[in-house]
Amino acid sequence: MKFNKVLEGIQTYEAGKPIELVVREFGIAPENVVKLASNENPIGTSPKVAEVIRANADKAHLYPDDSMFELKAALSGKFDVGDENIIIGAGSDQVLEFISRALLDEKSSVLMSAVTFAMYEIYAKQMGAKIVRTASWEHRYDEFMEAYHMHKPKIIYICTPNNPTGDATSREEVLEIIEEVGNDTLIVVDGAYMEYASAKDDKYAITPKELLGYENVIYLGTFSKAYGLGGMRVGYGIAQPELIKALYKMRPPFNISTLSLAAAIEAAKDEAFVAKSIALHQEQIKRYEDFAKEHGFEYIDSYTNFITYLFGDTLDSTEVSDALLRRGVIIRNLASYGMNGVRITIGTAAQNDVLFKHFSEVIS
């Protein structure tokens, strides 16, 4: 069977290893496995959301409200935007897929930083588009502008805070890029971790409403991180109505489940849970910074719910990751991104105790 030629240049996205894999391969009891690889919320899901999921379990045979009226109303109230400005996706990465399908072809190019979310490249390559990367993993204005003027990309991706590095681009710098770019290029501002950045320093806080003044900008958000709904797969895009209408032509019917919709509606209301999640993160990430300093390796100042350690010539990220995996601790090796480092989700105090114990033993 012959497949589309564009598939030859696409690498399959490598998700974080599941707990079940460690249980099968190493015979470790599930309760003794600590998963800190996929940036899930370590305290789980809001109890109010869990109750709503249970209450709606008997509706699993029914399709959801495809207008998603209540969820859009909740997001409209949260961000002070209109229903017509919102599209819902099965995770924000589905909105990324809609964007690529709506805009790209084999004559197009897309621009992104040297190290960023892998799905930008994968969706672009599915459409035959060319990938252009800056030299740095940071979103540097001069590098983006040089590449923009040289290649005239159809899409520019600004992931802030950035995954998998954890750094953030200031609101001022993002707006500088937006102001410089012409309307023929779409700018995607991916704010999957924006709740963490906003809580740490409002210099990095970007709201969807302030981006609605630009016809060529879309803001992406998700319920997978601070809201604790990674397993429910709900994300959203916010942009001017003309762009949203175009993306709706890419959207299949009922693209999130009945239970996911109910969960997201309730999650959007429970800001107290989000505040609790962020407070835990701000408390525990200091331990990770101290651990790096104590053991003499670098870390990237994080504006997300994870931290990136850079080993330089001192350690090998693959050896460290594999050794921890055999001990039942799952972290993310960044070797596939061309970095000798690891990305670790900031866990609960108990999870972090286990991580630091094994980490210390491994590197000694």
Side-chain angles (χ1 to χ4, degrees), residues 308-325 331-343 359 362-363:
T308 295
Y309 285 164
L310 301 174
F311 295 144
D313 297 328
T314 60
L315 298 167
D316 182 276
S317 64
T318 300
E319 292 180 0
V320 170
S321 301
D322 289 349
L324 287 171
L325 189 64
I331 63 174
R332 187 63 180 264
N333 180 15
L334 297 182
S336 62
Y337 287 88
M339 303 179 76
N340 183 27
V342 296
R343 188 191 72 188
F359 209 139
V362 164
I363 64 179

Side-chain angles (χ1 to χ4, degrees), residues 58-129:
D58 63 349
K59 298 178 182 177
H61 64 295
L62 300 174
Y63 289 119
D65 171 11
D66 199 45
S67 74
M68 304 183 196
F69 174 81
E70 285 188 73
L71 180 54
K72 287 183 179 179
L75 291 170
S76 294
K78 176 180 174 64
F79 294 120
D80 191 21
V81 299
D83 290 2
E84 71 277 7
N85 299 120
I86 303 170
I87 186 169
I88 306 299
S92 56
D93 53 325
Q94 189 182 42
V95 184
L96 288 170
E97 181 184 11
F98 297 160
I99 291 167
S100 290
R101 289 170 53 202
L103 290 172
L104 300 178
D105 57 32
E106 66 279 357
K107 298 178 182 178
S108 308
S109 65
V110 300
L111 173 59
M112 64 194 76
S113 66
V115 179
T116 192
F117 185 42
M119 291 309 298
Y120 303 153
E121 175 177 337
I122 290 173
Y123 285 136
K125 283 187 172 181
Q126 287 175 359
M127 302 306 298

Side-chain angles (χ1 to χ4, degrees), residues 133-189:
R133 294 184 182 272
T134 62
S136 308
W137 46 262
E138 303 100 329
H139 290 70
R140 294 181 177 174
Y141 171 83
D142 56 343
E143 293 182 6
F144 268 81
M145 288 305 96
E146 181 180 0
Y148 164 69
H149 289 296
M150 181 180 297
H151 298 280
K152 296 296 183 184
K154 196 67 176 177
I155 301 174
I156 295 177
Y157 292 105
I158 301 177
C159 188
T160 182
N162 192 26
N163 178 21
T165 55
D167 66 302
T169 307
S170 71
R171 174 184 177 274
E172 180 181 358
E173 291 171 304
V174 171
L175 292 179
E176 283 182 358
I177 294 174
I178 291 172
E179 291 285 354
E180 180 75 15
V181 172
N183 287 340
D184 288 338
T185 297
L186 177 68
I187 299 174
V188 178
V189 178

Side-chain angles (χ1 to χ4, degrees), residues 154-301:
K154 196 67 176 177
I155 301 174
I156 295 177
Y157 292 105
I158 301 177
C159 188
T160 182
N162 192 26
N163 178 21
T165 55
D167 66 302
T169 307
S170 71
R171 174 184 177 274
E172 180 181 358
E173 291 171 304
V174 171
L175 292 179
E176 283 182 358
I177 294 174
I178 291 172
E179 291 285 354
E180 180 75 15
V181 172
N183 287 340
D184 288 338
T185 297
L186 177 68
I187 299 174
V188 178
V189 178
D190 189 345
Y193 299 89
M194 188 59 68
E195 290 85 0
Y196 297 94
S198 299
K200 180 172 180 175
D201 188 342
D202 60 11
K203 172 183 176 182
Y204 299 93
I206 300 172
T207 64
K209 185 176 181 180
E210 64 187 316
L211 301 182
L212 284 183
Y214 304 95
E215 64 182 69
N216 63 323
V217 179
I218 184 168
Y219 178 94
L220 302 186
T222 183
F223 286 93
S224 295
K225 310 304 177 186
Y227 288 89
L229 293 184
M232 302 304 282
R233 310 303 299 126
V234 184
Y236 52 88
I238 299 178
Q240 288 196 6
E242 183 180 4
L243 177 55
I244 296 299
K245 287 178 182 178
L247 297 182
Y248 254 89
K249 295 179 180 180
M250 304 293 123
R251 188 187 76 93
F254 312 117
N255 60 316
I256 65 172
S257 72
T258 298
L259 295 182
S260 294
L261 181 58
I265 292 168
E266 186 62 31
K269 303 174 187 176
D270 196 354
E271 292 294 340
F273 176 81
V274 175
K276 180 181 178 182
S277 299
I278 292 173
L280 170 71
H281 162 76
Q282 291 176 326
E283 170 191 296
Q284 291 296 314
I285 196 170
K286 296 174 183 176
R287 298 178 64 189
Y288 281 81
E289 295 169 349
D290 291 341
F291 184 85
K293 294 171 185 175
E294 179 185 347
H295 291 88
F297 46 80
E298 294 183 40
Y299 64 89
I300 297 174
D301 189 24

